Structure formats: C-alpha cells, structure tokens
Amino acid sequence: MSGSRVLLVTLLVLVPGCALAQEWREVVSPRTRVLFDDPALEEYAGLVAVRAEEALDVLAGLFGSVPRLTTIRLDSETDLYNAIAPPLPRPQVVMPALFPALPQVDLGTSDPLYALLLHELTHVVQLGYLERPAELPPLPQVGLVGEDVAPLPPGWLLEGLAVWVAGEHAPGAAVLDARTRGVLHALTLEGEWPSLEDVSLLSHSEWPGGEARYLLGGAFVAYIIEEYGWETLLASLREANAGWYPLPFEAAWRRASGEGLEEVWEAWTDRVEEEASDRAAALPERFARGLTGAGAATTVLAADPSGDRLAWRPAGGGLVLSELSSDSQGRLVISNSRRLLPPFRSPISLDWLGPDRLVYTRLAPGPGTRFTDLFELDLTSGDERRLSHGARARFARAGPEGCVYYVRDVAGEGSSVMRRCAEDPAERLFLAPAGRHLVGLDVSDGGRIVVSLWLEGQVDLAILEEGELRVVFGDSTLDLDPAWVDEDELLFRSDASGVFDIYGLRLEPYEARRLTAEVGGAFAPSPLSDEVIFARVGGEGLDLATVPLAGRVPGTRLQPSDARTTPPHDSDDGYAVRSYDDTSPHDPDAGYPVRPYEPWRSLAPFGWLPRLELAGVEPLSIGLSASLLGEDRSGDHSYSLTAGYRPGLEGPLGGATFHVRYDYRRVDAFDLFQRPDPWGFGVRFGLWRHRQHPAEAQEVVAGVGVELWRRAWLGSWLTLSRLNVSLLRLPSYAGLQPAARLDVVATRRYSDLWGYGYSGPRASAHLAWSAGSTGGTGSAWLEASQVLARSGPLPFTTTIVLSGGYRAPPPIPIHVAPWSLFGTVAARASLPVGWRYADGLLALERLTAEVRLHSAFDGALIPGADLSLWADTMLRYGAPVSVGGTLGFAEGWWYRLGLRVPL
C-alpha cells in the first residue's frame, strides 16, 4: 500500500472514533465553568457551581480578588477521592464526583463538597496571587506561559493555607480535627517532630509523609494567623513576588513580619508539645499492647472469626496474612507472616468470606476508569478472582450464605447498601434519603446490618431493619468503623475524647464503653473472642495493637444523652432511635444555565514558550525555537504553532522549521492533570526536523503526520500504544516517502520522585519504517526489564535488561551489525544527604550511584561498563531534578553530562 493510502486509511479510522467521544456539558456561573460528561451529574454540577461561587466570595474577601474565570472539571470515572488544582494552562480544578469515606477526611463538616472547593480554589487563588509590595510596580506581562503563576511556596504553606481556609469557613470543619490532633501529639511526644524544611519539601517521606504538609501545615498556618494576623501572611506572599529571582519564603516572611520563621516554628512546636504533654498526663491507664513495629500497618485489617489468623495491609501496600497465637504469658502475638498480594493490588476494605477465602475492594483501573471493585482471594491456591466490574464498592463485608455486602455511593445516584450472592446480580437493599451518606458498614453472622450514617457533619451508628434505619448511638461525634462482636454487641471508633478511640457498644442491656486511650488515636477495630485488634497511631506511623474486649477505660461509660447536641429519644427496647425525613440539606435554587460545551469558546492561545538548544560545540552553534500554545477548558483539544532555526540543517528554508500540531486528549508528561482517557490522536503538518533512522544525520522535511494512541489496563499491566504515520518530502530524496512507527509499552514499574524505578517489570516493542536519503528502512526492537529492591545496611536496587532487534539504535554508543542483542545488569544505591538552602528553596536530598555491566552481540561479543553519579535535588520546594553524568567504556571511552527530569 502506498504511503498516501496508509495516511488516508488512518484518518478514516480516527475521525469516527472522535465522533463517539462523550459530549461535555457545562454549568455557567459568573466566575466558573463546571464541566461534566455524564448527564446524571447535571444536578450535582449545578450544586458545585453554587458552592464554588460561595467559596470564591470567601477568597475574594481574603485576597482582594480572584481569577476572572476558573474551570472545574468533574471526573465521573474515578473512585479515588483526590482533587487537584493545576495552575496551567489556566486556573482550573479537577475533582471527583464522590462523597468522601476515607480515614484521612474530616467528616465533621456539614458540607464536604464546600470544604473541598474551598481547599482547591484556595490553591487557584494563591497560585494566581501576583500582588507585590505597594512601592513596587507590577511586572511586565509578555504572554509567556507561567508568567501569571505566583512563585511556588513551601509545601506547608501551599497545603496548610488551603486547610486553614476550609477549616475556618466550611461549616463544622476544623483545622485541628481528631485525627490531626492525634498525629501531632504522637509526633511531638515520641520525638519524631519534623523540621520546617522537612514540611516545606515535596520529597519529605518520614511519617506522616506527604500528609505532613496538610496536618502540620494547616495547624501552623492557623498559629501564624492567630499570632500575627492575616495581613502579615498576605504581606509575606507579596514580598515573595517582589524579586526577579527566587526568594526563599523565609526571607519574604522576615521582611513582612520582622521575625525569623524558624523561631515562629519553634514557638508553635513548644505550644503543641505542652498541649500533648498535658493531654497525655490526663489520660487514664492504657491497656493496649503493640503487636507490630511502629509504621508497619495501615487501617485495613480483618481477624479470622476463628481467631487464628489476621489479614492486614502493610504500610508499603499489598496484603499480608499472619498467624495469631499466645506466648508463654498468654499474650497475643503475631507470627509466620507471609505476603498474599503485591503493592499494586492493595485492598481498601477487607473481610473473611470463609475459612480460606477473603473478599476485598481495591482500585481496578480500566480503559478510562479507576473504579473500586470486589475481589475474592483463595488462600489455598493464591488465586485472585474478580467478582464485579464497575460496582464502585466501598466497605466489602461478608454476610450469611456467602453473600457479599457493600456500600455504593455515586453522585446522581445516592448512597446504597448492596448485596451480591454467588453469581447473581447485585441487589439494592437500602437507598439512603437525599443528603445522607453511608460511611461505614458491617454485617453480623446472623445478617444484622449496621452502618455509620452521615448527616450534616454528624455520623451515627444505625441498624438496618426491614428497609428502615434505626439509630442505636446518636450524638454529635463521628462514630465510624462499626464491627459486630456478636448479635448484640458492636465495636466502633469515635472522636468523643478529642482523638479517635475504640468503643464497645452493648445493645442489651444498653452500654457504651471506651476501650482505648491512645495519644495518637485508634482505628479499624476487629474483634477476637476476648480481645480487639486495631490500628493505632504513633510517632513513626501506624502499628497493630490489642486490648481486652471486656476492658474499660475508667470513667468513660458513654450514653447518647452525653451528646453536645439534643440526643435522640430512647425507645422502649433500650435503643436510641432517631427518625429521618426525606428533606435534602442542600436544595439550592442555583439559577445557573446549563449548555452544551463548545470548545471553540476557549481555544484562544494561553501563552508562548521560547526554547534555546545547543546544536553543536565544534564550532559552537545555537538553535532557537518558540511555540505558541493553546488548549480548551476541557483539556480534550490542544494545539501548538512552533517556529525555529537550527544551523547546519538542510531543508526548503535552510535550517528553518515551522509546524502546526493538534492533539485530541494528548498523552504527555502532565497526564496527572488529565482524564485517563483510553484513546487520543494528534495531527502535525509543516516543516520539522527528521532523523534519518537509523543514521545520526538530521534534515528539515516537509510533511504531514498522524499519531494515534491508546492507554489501557490489561490485568495489573498499564499499556500504552502509539502509532505514528507520516508522509515526508526529504531534501536528500526526490518524491514523497512514508514513515511509520508503532510503540507498545506494558509496565508495572514503580518509580520514585526522581524517576528511578524501584520495583516492577516493564516490556516494550518498537516497529518502524523510516524515510531515509536512500529510501525506506525498517527496524524492530524488543526490550524487557525487571527492577528488584534489595534490603541491607545500604538498600539498593538491581535492574536486569534484555533487548534485541534489527537495525534499531543501540542503548550504548557502539557500532553494531543489523542484527543485535543487548544485555544489562545494573545496581543502584542512594546515600541520603539532606542539605537544604534557606527553608528548603534548594535541597540536595541524596547522592545516587549506578553501576552497569552490559554487552552486545552482533556476531562477536562486545562487553562494556559504565558508572553514573547523580545529585538528586529539589528545586523551589517541589521540582525533583538530578544533576550528574555517566562515564563508560564500550569499544572506547564515552561520557554524558546533563540533567534528569522525571517528566
């Protein structure tokens, strides 16, 4: 088939595919555009617009102004509760259409949606706050991409300010909620308090890791505003915008307040330590005893009903099965732990379905989706079986007769208790009234269903009987993680003491008692015959602990009448009962119009980017280029116009290039900010640089090219396929030449912040037919690699790579014949350094060394080796960049110097 026919067929395949894309719609409010692509979300999108306008009113009062227009994009294809607010290309928020049900989320606010929007829109406003001190003129605007984005502040301020705004202005929310208070007190009492530089950096990994920016940052910002006032903090942001060069926020704060930020941090630390010490001294005797090392566990665990085994999710992810036994003193101990699931199959909720079967929920990414589904694990064979597709299940629990119960909570659909028995379709047992959400679930051996029912910032325990909910413990606290001990006794966690602790609730006779008294808090109780296993918070993370089931912390017998709000009345059978009506707490008359989304309304260019590149050193020559960039609000459509000149190239206009590119749902380094769409394509035409594969020479060609890509999940493998088809006219060859390339990559690779792989396999295949000065030339290349982590005094990783092909560029700079085979064995280790400039504006986090032994075979064995040394730095608090190079030998000495940027 001729090259022109190949291109025509490719276009005919692409255009119908685009027509099938689901249509966006948008809610139009004065300062936002709320985009959604699921018709069932129209009412929810209207509510988002109302709450966003209210949040922007708050932020306008704080900052003096807000962006003229912010895009809010609803992601209806994910069960991962996480929102982001990327400032480029324009102010925007990408958020899930979900109600939160995570241990990390404060359910104490009566409007979690409003709290989330306050948090994310604070990022939008703060990162667009370009005000400078009054005596300084504004900086000139020339249209560069990013010039309307404020300097990135330290992590504690970026997230802490958003936490403070939401905690101050969302009804019922608190900056210092029960979980935050517990973590802060555990950190300071156990001597694990991080430094100001630690919580400034994206690379901070010690417990609580990335959450430190939120937990400590929010509380520290609240202290700053309490002691120095909002205007002082705002003035420090203006000072940070004052210079033409990056200014540490520490210096900006000193200019605005006249005091050092480290001294402020120490004063706040002393206050937290005093509060923690006073609280610890007032705690009654603690009965809990640790079973694992600190930092070993998470809040996902389930004890075998027989009491012999415990399934739990470790801190590193995956699933572990441990035996439970008693030591010589009769105390419960954990032994013979073995891994059941790898980290990429980490359960979110977990229960025992039988003596040798587990049922659990986990994220199961698919083409364009990231839903939580039900899975079953056979402990005898180790086989995992998927039970559902698109169940969007929360809180998987085993019930009688092998049935699985779970909660499904989807915007536009409501919050439901679902049941799935054997291979039968799932059935809905209960649909909560509008405005209520089920944020906890358990099922007894006899089939009794208990839920944690959220309503306007309060979470009560309620039993589902004959299709109706009956509240059995209702007060103004958050009562979560319900677990049946038997048909008349429950366990749960509550924040009644100021942090989360485990409580027992006997229904007949009615009695609620506190079982733990933990400084850091307790989560996820799982009952045994006479003990309770739970996850407790310490200064180095969570560990598993146990308390007697019959015990009671002195003086902590609870009754619903102890509530801080009007308690529910007592029924004749001793249960506390509350009746709920069907009135939604949110019934706004938004009045904002909804219309079909039209991309052309926002396709104006958002900026341009210059680029300077070293084209040669003997003699020195410099290449220049500039791109004008555009993207619509949905992120589906993007384009670029690029013009440049590079000396030494031949082409219709010498070394000049000019090409236009359009992409539909592009795949690039900023995928984090885009929807996980399975399909996309791009078109390019004009003059661009072309490498005559496999030769090193380049020339400027005139042509048109089409690129098609697909992302998909095949089991636990993420795959990316790219097909490029082009028609080119080369100066070195008369007439048109076709060029095509197919790349297929499948990976389960895990990488760190600097892009080093630390675990998992990767496989790739490349097929190419390239235009050249003597005609077409084909090539094929295959590669497989595996990264293994090794523990020891100095942890390191080992990488094994095998690759081979025909006429493809080799991975090392040696001459090879048309058929080649390569093998590489590498070992890499990193030495922590922890050097920081100022408050972490610049940081040298570690030094990394990698040794590789490799060989090529093309009829003769060609051995080689190289050594790479990298300084892994963090720039401007959050940009991981490695500086260094490689020295190697393979048919001669060679070297490379440069930067590693994980994009």
Side-chain angles (χ1 to χ4, degrees):
M1 184 182 293
S2 69
S4 57
R5 290 180 180 177
V6 170
L7 182 61
L8 179 61
V9 169
T10 303
L11 288 172
L12 289 176
V13 169
L14 290 175
V15 173
C18 297
L20 294 175
Q22 195 166 12
E23 181 182 7
W24 288 98
R25 294 177 65 79
E26 63 179 348
V27 179
V28 181
S29 72
R31 292 170 295 191
T32 73
R33 298 294 182 269
V34 181
L35 274 63
F36 61 98
D37 61 358
D38 183 351
L41 291 178
E42 182 171 325
E43 182 178 352
Y44 184 77
L47 178 60
V48 169
V50 171
R51 294 291 179 263
E53 289 292 339
E54 294 171 357
L56 289 170
D57 286 341
V58 170
L59 292 166
L62 290 171
F63 287 88
S65 65
V66 297
R68 184 182 63 85
L69 190 64
T70 298
T71 300
I72 302 175
R73 202 162 70 238
L74 300 184
D75 185 354
S76 62
E77 305 298 322
T78 183
D79 288 336
L80 186 65
Y81 192 80
N82 186 30
I84 54 175
L88 296 174
R90 301 183 181 93
Q92 60 181 309
V93 174
V94 183
M95 57 177 284
L98 292 174
F99 186 86
L102 297 171
Q104 296 88 346
V105 176
D106 177 20
L107 294 173
T109 173
S110 61
D111 198 338
L113 172 62
Y114 183 51
L116 176 65
L117 286 167
L118 277 168
H119 185 108
E120 299 303 329
L121 289 171
T122 298
H123 292 325
V124 170
V125 176
Q126 181 185 356
L127 292 176
Y129 186 74
L130 299 177
E131 297 295 325
R132 290 152 57 84
E135 67 274 11
L136 296 178
L139 294 174
Q141 299 282 303
V142 295
L144 277 172
V145 173
E147 69 180 6
D148 55 352
V149 177
L152 189 68
W156 65 264
L157 179 57
L158 180 66
E159 298 298 347
L161 183 57
V163 169
W164 177 81
V165 171
E168 283 289 308
H169 296 279
V175 174
L176 202 65
D177 62 358
R179 181 173 179 270
T180 302
R181 181 182 293 107
V183 172
L184 265 59
H185 289 180
L187 286 171
T188 186
L189 290 178
E190 297 184 22
E192 302 295 335
W193 194 260
S195 67
L196 181 64
E197 292 82 2
D198 289 337
V199 294
S200 294
L201 295 171
L202 180 66
S203 54
H204 179 59
S205 58
E206 288 75 20
W207 167 261
E211 284 193 89
R213 301 189 295 274
Y214 299 81
L215 304 178
L216 284 83
F220 184 47
V221 168
Y223 174 82
I224 286 177
I225 294 173
E226 174 189 338
E227 295 293 322
Y228 298 90
W230 168 254
E231 283 301 324
T232 304
L233 182 60
L234 204 61
S236 67
L237 292 177
R238 296 191 194 102
E239 292 291 346
N241 297 334
W244 289 86
Y245 57 91
L247 182 70
F249 184 78
E250 181 183 52
W253 169 262
R254 189 181 295 275
R255 290 182 185 178
S257 69
E259 296 190 24
L261 196 57
E262 283 284 355
E263 289 74 15
V264 180
W265 176 265
E266 291 176 4
W268 174 65
T269 301
D270 291 341
R271 174 190 284 190
V272 175
E273 185 173 3
E274 182 179 353
E275 293 172 353
S277 298
D278 292 344
R279 183 171 151 260
L283 283 177
E285 179 185 357
R286 292 187 288 169
F287 301 97
R289 186 176 60 86
L291 300 177
T292 60
T298 63
T299 58
V300 180
L301 65 147
D304 183 349
S306 68
D308 296 332
R309 292 170 296 179
L310 179 73
W312 54 289
R313 174 177 167 177
L319 183 65
V320 167
L321 181 66
S322 301
E323 294 182 5
L324 298 175
S325 58
S326 299
D327 62 12
S328 58
Q329 299 178 352
R331 298 178 303 183
L332 190 69
V333 295
I334 285 180
S335 60
N336 298 327
S337 298
R338 62 186 177 94
R339 181 177 290 276
L340 299 178
L341 293 174
F344 56 84
R345 295 180 183 173
S346 294
I348 300 173
S349 63
L350 176 69
D351 201 7
W352 288 82
L353 192 57
D356 292 301
R357 292 189 299 159
L358 294 170
V359 64
Y360 51 92
T361 62
R362 68 172 176 84
L363 278 173
T369 64
R370 288 175 294 183
F371 292 152
T372 51
D373 269 305
L374 295 165
F375 291 82
E376 178 186 334
L377 183 66
D378 188 324
L379 299 183
T380 57
S381 64
D383 294 336
E384 181 186 62
R385 185 166 71 97
R386 186 169 183 173
L387 302 180
S388 66
H389 290 79
R392 313 194 70 172
R394 298 178 175 182
F395 312 114
R397 295 293 183 263
E401 300 179 354
C403 295
V404 177
Y405 295 70
Y406 61 93
V407 170
R408 178 182 171 96
D409 195 333
V410 178
E413 184 179 308
S415 188
S416 307
V417 176
M418 309 292 293
R419 178 173 63 190
R420 183 184 187 278
C421 298
E423 302 300 326
D424 297 335
E427 60 175 325
R428 175 183 287 166
L429 299 181
F430 173 76
L431 175 63
R436 282 74 168 171
H437 293 272
L438 308 174
V439 293
L441 171 73
D442 198 33
V443 183
S444 72
D445 293 339
R448 302 191 77 182
I449 299 174
V450 62
V451 299
S452 290
L453 183 68
W454 181 92
L455 173 64
E456 297 184 314
Q458 181 174 316
V459 181
D460 297 331
L461 296 182
I463 292 179
L464 179 62
E465 294 179 339
E466 298 180 353
E468 295 184 357
L469 284 180
R470 180 169 60 174
V471 173
V472 296
F473 194 77
D475 58 14
S476 61
T477 61
L478 305 179
D479 303 326
L480 298 154
D481 294 350
W484 288 101
V485 177
D486 54 37
E487 299 302 311
D488 293 310
E489 186 171 4
L490 289 163
L491 299 172
F492 63 99
R493 68 173 163 100
S494 173
D495 64 345
S497 68
V499 301
F500 283 108
D501 271 306
I502 306 301
Y503 292 77
L505 176 64
R506 178 157 289 282
L507 305 179
E508 295 180 1
Y510 188 88
E511 179 191 27
R513 64 193 186 280
R514 180 176 166 192
L515 300 180
T516 65
E518 296 293 322
V519 171
F523 297 77
S526 186
L528 293 171
S529 59
D530 55 0
E531 292 188 272
V532 179
I533 295 179
F534 64 96
R536 67 175 176 184
V537 177
E540 297 181 358
L542 285 88
D543 68 335
L544 301 179
T546 179
V547 291
L549 180 59
R552 178 190 297 155
V553 175
T556 57
R557 186 175 185 272
L558 300 181
Q559 290 284 3
S561 58
D562 295 334
R564 293 187 294 271
T565 60
T566 303
H569 63 272
D570 290 339
S571 67
D572 294 338
D573 57 8
Y575 293 155
V577 179
R578 172 177 296 157
S579 299
Y580 288 115
D581 58 32
D582 293 332
T583 304
S584 169
H586 300 305
D587 187 22
D589 183 13
Y592 296 142
V594 180
R595 67 187 182 193
Y597 174 68
E598 297 173 337
W600 60 266
R601 292 177 180 270
S602 57
L603 275 174
F606 61 79
W608 64 281
L609 275 178
R611 182 179 179 183
L612 176 68
E613 61 182 37
L614 190 65
V617 294
E618 294 180 355
L620 179 65
S621 60
I622 302 295
L624 299 171
S625 66
S627 297
L628 184 67
L629 304 174
E631 182 179 281
D632 79 311
R633 287 195 298 270
S634 73
D636 282 352
H637 308 276
S638 60
Y639 62 87
S640 63
L641 290 78
T642 302
Y645 179 80
R646 181 164 170 175
L649 296 182
E650 296 183 5
L653 299 176
T657 59
F658 177 81
H659 62 269
V660 177
R661 182 179 178 99
Y662 163 78
D663 290 291
Y664 178 75
R665 295 182 175 176
R666 70 179 184 268
V667 177
D668 61 15
F670 299 99
D671 275 352
L672 175 65
F673 304 149
Q674 306 298 327
R675 298 169 11 141
D677 297 294
W679 290 99
F681 77 94
V683 179
R684 177 173 65 166
F685 63 90
L687 306 174
W688 66 81
R689 298 200 305 269
H690 172 70
R691 184 182 300 277
Q692 297 180 9
H693 181 86
E696 292 294 323
Q698 293 188 57
E699 56 186 316
V700 177
V701 299
V704 58
V706 176
E707 181 178 30
L708 171 69
W709 53 80
R710 174 174 169 77
R711 285 174 290 188
W713 286 88
L714 300 177
S716 58
W717 290 79
L718 174 63
T719 65
L720 173 62
S721 304
R722 290 179 183 265
L723 173 64
N724 290 273
V725 179
S726 302
L727 272 180
L728 308 175
R729 186 176 185 91
L730 288 79
S732 59
Y733 187 85
L736 294 174
Q737 275 276 64
R741 181 181 177 101
L742 173 65
D743 299 277
V744 180
V745 178
T747 182
R748 287 204 314 244
R749 181 70 49 83
Y750 289 83
S751 300
D752 64 14
L753 276 174
W754 289 272
Y756 300 106
Y758 63 83
S759 178
R762 183 182 187 274
S764 62
H766 313 281
L767 302 173
W769 181 265
S770 298
S773 58
T774 58
T777 177
S779 68
W781 197 259
L782 300 172
E783 181 174 312
S785 63
Q786 173 74 48
V787 178
L788 301 172
R790 305 293 183 185
S791 59
L794 183 62
F796 67 96
T797 59
T798 302
T799 305
I800 301 174
V801 183
L802 294 176
S803 58
Y806 173 73
R807 295 297 297 274
I812 52 178
I814 60 176
H815 170 73
V816 296
W819 289 97
S820 305
L821 178 67
F822 295 89
T824 302
V825 177
R828 185 185 70 249
S830 297
L831 177 67
V833 176
W835 175 86
R836 283 83 183 266
Y837 166 71
D839 59 345
L841 179 73
L842 305 176
L844 173 59
E845 292 293 82
R846 65 189 190 187
L847 299 175
T848 296
E850 183 176 39
V851 178
R852 298 194 310 163
L853 303 176
H854 45 72
S855 62
F857 183 81
D858 63 344
L861 189 65
I862 306 175
D866 55 66
L867 171 65
S868 299
L869 296 175
W870 298 97
D872 298 327
T873 69
M874 191 64 63
L875 308 182
R876 193 70 209 188
Y877 309 110
V881 176
S882 298
V883 183
T886 303
L887 175 66
F889 181 85
E891 292 190 335
W893 291 96
W894 59 276
Y895 69 92
R896 292 194 185 110
L897 300 174
L899 305 176
R900 282 174 48 101
V901 181
L903 292 180

